[in-house]
Amino acid sequence: MKPMYINGQWITSSDGETIDVYNPATEEVIDTVPNGSPEDAVKAIEAANVAFEEWRWVTALERSEMLQEAARKFRDNFDEIVDLLTLEEGKARPENEEEGEWTIGTLDYYAGLARNSRGRVLPPAERSQFNFVIKEPYGVAACIVPFNYPLLLMIWKVAPALAAGNTVIIKPSDHTPLTTLRLAKIVFDHFPPGVVNVLTGRGDRVGDVLVEHPDVPVIAFTGSTAIGQRIAALAAKRVKRLHLELGGKDPFVIAPDADVETAVEAVAYAALLNAGQVCTSTERVYVPQEMGDTFAGAMVDFVRSLRLGPGLEPTTDMGPLAAPGYRDKVAGHVADAVEKGAKVLTGGKIPAKFERGWYYEPTVLVNVNHSMKCMREETFGPTIPIMTYRTFDEAIKLANDSDYGLGAVVRTNDARLAKRFFEEVQAGTVWINDPLTDNYAGPFGGMKMSGNARELGEEGLESFLETKHVHWDFSDEVKDYWYPY
Ligand code: NAD
């Protein structure tokens, strides 16, 4: 059993409940963690709140050095962390190495930005006044994280929150808490007790306490739109600061000028990375009508060449899904599409070659339309539904015909089409030609039902800073605008 980390102590759940953590490639239990109780959540909030009283006055330079120290410790233990991440999350090890590198990079980026965070001086409205804006930490930040990128999505919150002077309670996913607990032990252990806490437990046991407690002024949540909506409704009671990174249904438009072979590989990467369990996975593909058959045929050939297996096997391109429920959802979307007239060109089933593990074959679907779940709801699995379009106007309309607006991709070297795409498509991130790349300095987040947050970049730091305007008057005179009139 791996205990959870609250106030610098390693503790079990107050009522002794535990959660099993599985290896999705073998369906075996790797370890167990405490199923935190509502009382444990309160304990974490109290600890983080007490720690904040000191932490908020630690200088930005010291906070920056501590974040850099965390980055160094991560680097020193890189292989061990990445192996554990691969075991509990399931994706291919190279993808977890990437996640590790990006986690270190994010620590490093916010260590730098922490020292540059600043307010501003304003021209005063009164001759005798000096006006300025300062930025302050909120206090305790609840950082609620999903399973698919347990470290990256955690650090996108925790690094800026700490840099800004907040204390944090990390609530990892029940599927992937082990790596986060390991980080508490070997990467965050130099932070004062209570500054970084890891509260494990089912979302429905500890979630409401974190969201409703008056001493948690800011909630940074990444996860499904359904849970995000619940959190938003509860948090509204206290008008809390809420950063929601939610689901997606990203379109990928292939323009008529695109090279088919390269476009196929770009789409396969964007759709199948982490077995399609990326919030910005390509989930809808639009190709020009005249290119449809060639594109689909080449996609089938390419997808069949990919090797499924456990993430730790060096030959693995794609791992299993994280839990059986996620696989059932993918199978449900494929069944719904087939029922409504779609054709499965390859995949569409659980691969026969594995006796265990939550694998699902990468699946290429054609004859799809927007009445199908696979084109409307988030699938979060290895599916590539391909739909044809006649004009670029139609492609843009189809891309925007979604409740979601997280990311969008276009492949084109026609500048006029690219410009139309990034101006007209409703998405928080637009990739032209190279999908799913990140940049620490640039904000990431969604439009529409994909949420309201922006993580990374200066916006990511701003999310954890309260703004205060100070009016400072230097005259001792009674003002002529005071009473009596
Ligand atoms: P999820 O919504 O099931 O869980 C996310 C986190 O919320 C987990 O830690 C979970 O334990 C917790 N939780 C569950 N119930 C809660 C409650 N009532 N109150 C508070 N917390 C609660 O999501 P998931 O299945 O782990 O992850 C997949 C989802 O995350 C997908 O929808 C995906 O698009 C989304 N996602 C979004 C982004 C983004 O940046 N927009 C990035 C990655 C994943």
Side-chain angles (χ1 to χ4, degrees), residues 66-401:
M66 291 173 93
L67 289 171
Q68 244 144 19
E69 175 70 10
R72 262 194 302 278
K73 287 179 172 175
F74 195 122
R75 172 74 63 208
D76 290 346
N77 295 280
F78 191 81
D79 282 331
E80 181 210 324
I81 295 169
V82 167
D83 282 344
L84 184 59
L85 182 59
T86 310
L87 270 188
E88 68 173 346
E89 204 280 338
K91 61 185 176 290
R93 197 178 190 280
E95 295 175 18
N96 288 312
E97 288 168 20
E98 284 272 298
E99 183 169 354
E101 290 295 347
W102 281 97
T103 304
I104 294 173
T106 306
L107 281 163
D108 199 49
Y109 174 76
Y110 281 109
L113 214 56
R115 296 194 294 189
N116 291 321
S117 172
R118 57 192 175 266
R120 66 198 153 109
V121 175
L122 306 175
E126 295 298 327
R127 176 72 184 89
S128 55
Q129 285 195 355
F130 181 55
N131 281 220
F132 54 97
V133 177
I134 55 173
K135 299 284 181 172
E136 295 179 341
Y138 285 97
V140 180
C143 302
I144 306 175
V145 183
F147 75 86
N148 61 335
Y149 286 88
L151 300 189
L152 192 67
L153 298 170
M154 177 273 292
I155 213 68
W156 284 8
K157 299 162 182 50
V158 168
L162 294 175
N166 303 273
T167 54
V168 299
I169 300 170
I170 306 166
K171 211 309 266 166
S173 161
D174 321 341
H175 302 297
T176 53
L178 297 174
T179 328
T180 309
L181 288 171
R182 192 72 194 133
L183 255 50
K185 188 142 217 150
I186 58 179
V187 170
F188 294 125
D189 55 322
H190 57 286
F191 285 85
V195 170
V196 178
N197 304 278
V198 181
L199 172 70
T200 56
R202 298 220 184 277
D204 54 7
R205 280 235 305 173
V206 293
D208 288 0
V209 180
L210 290 179
V211 173
E212 292 190 296
H213 198 288
D215 289 339
V216 182
V218 57
I219 296 150
F221 170 81
T222 301
S224 57
T225 295
I227 304 285
Q229 286 167 322
R230 178 187 166 82
I231 290 176
L234 290 181
K237 289 189 206 160
R238 301 199 72 90
V239 199
K240 292 194 176 190
R241 289 293 189 278
L242 203 54
H243 307 298
L244 298 173
E245 292 280 9
L246 309 178
K249 190 75 200 165
D250 286 13
F252 195 137
V253 172
I254 313 300
D257 68 291
D259 170 65
V260 174
E261 294 298 322
T262 332
V264 160
E265 293 201 26
V267 168
Y269 172 73
L272 303 179
L273 183 74
N274 195 4
Q277 301 170 113
V278 184
C279 51
T280 48
S281 285
T282 287
E283 296 218 348
R284 299 177 284 144
V285 184
Y286 302 103
V287 298
Q289 202 164 38
E290 60 281 8
M291 197 193 279
D293 290 344
T294 324
F295 183 89
M299 182 62 82
V300 168
D301 291 343
F302 186 77
V303 158
R304 284 189 180 148
S305 73
L306 298 176
R307 298 155 301 179
L308 268 62
L312 285 174
E313 284 291 328
T315 51
T316 293
D317 295 312
M318 200 185 96
L321 292 154
Y326 295 117
R327 182 170 68 178
D328 293 346
K329 185 174 183 198
V330 180
H333 279 201
V334 173
D336 171 78
V338 169
E339 204 174 290
K340 291 174 179 158
K343 195 168 161 203
V344 176
L345 294 187
T346 187
K349 56 186 189 307
I350 294 170
K353 74 181 251 205
F354 301 104
E355 277 176 20
R356 314 199 72 178
W358 298 306
Y359 294 95
Y360 194 82
E361 287 186 359
T363 300
V364 178
L365 291 157
V366 291
N367 295 351
V368 295
N369 61 54
H370 279 209
S371 75
M372 299 172 181
K373 287 183 183 170
C374 71
M375 298 299 273
R376 298 223 76 86
E377 297 174 18
E378 188 177 50
T379 307
F380 227 55
T383 55
I384 307 180
I386 303 169
M387 186 167 169
T388 58
Y389 67 84
R390 275 157 303 187
T391 64
F392 202 70
D393 279 347
E394 187 190 355
I396 288 183
K397 228 181 238 157
L398 287 166
N400 282 335
D401 179 25

Side-chain angles (χ1 to χ4, degrees), residues 1-5 10-12 30-34 84 177-178 181-182 185 200:
M1 221 271 287
K2 296 286 178 298
M4 58 188 165
Y5 186 64
W10 294 94
I11 63 167
T12 54
I30 314 169
D31 215 328
T32 57
V33 298
L84 184 59
L178 297 174
L181 288 171
R182 192 72 194 133
K185 188 142 217 150
T200 56

Side-chain angles (χ1 to χ4, degrees), residues 16-89:
E17 277 202 24
T18 57
I19 299 174
D20 290 336
V21 182
Y22 292 87
N23 176 346
T26 62
E27 303 181 25
E28 284 160 359
V29 174
I30 314 169
D31 215 328
T32 57
V33 298
N35 186 8
S37 63
E39 295 76 54
D40 296 322
V42 172
K43 219 180 280 174
I45 294 165
E46 285 171 357
N49 208 27
V50 170
F52 177 64
E53 289 313 315
E54 295 274 329
W55 177 247
R56 65 177 305 177
W57 304 119
V58 171
T59 65
L61 182 60
E62 270 180 85
R63 290 200 298 265
S64 166
E65 283 168 352
M66 291 173 93
L67 289 171
Q68 244 144 19
E69 175 70 10
R72 262 194 302 278
K73 287 179 172 175
F74 195 122
R75 172 74 63 208
D76 290 346
N77 295 280
F78 191 81
D79 282 331
E80 181 210 324
I81 295 169
V82 167
D83 282 344
L84 184 59
L85 182 59
T86 310
L87 270 188
E88 68 173 346
E89 204 280 338

Side-chain angles (χ1 to χ4, degrees), residues 462-473:
E462 279 292 315
S463 301
F464 293 98
L465 286 167
E466 187 76 276
T467 299
K468 186 181 276 175
H469 181 178
V470 182
H471 304 245
W472 189 349
D473 193 278

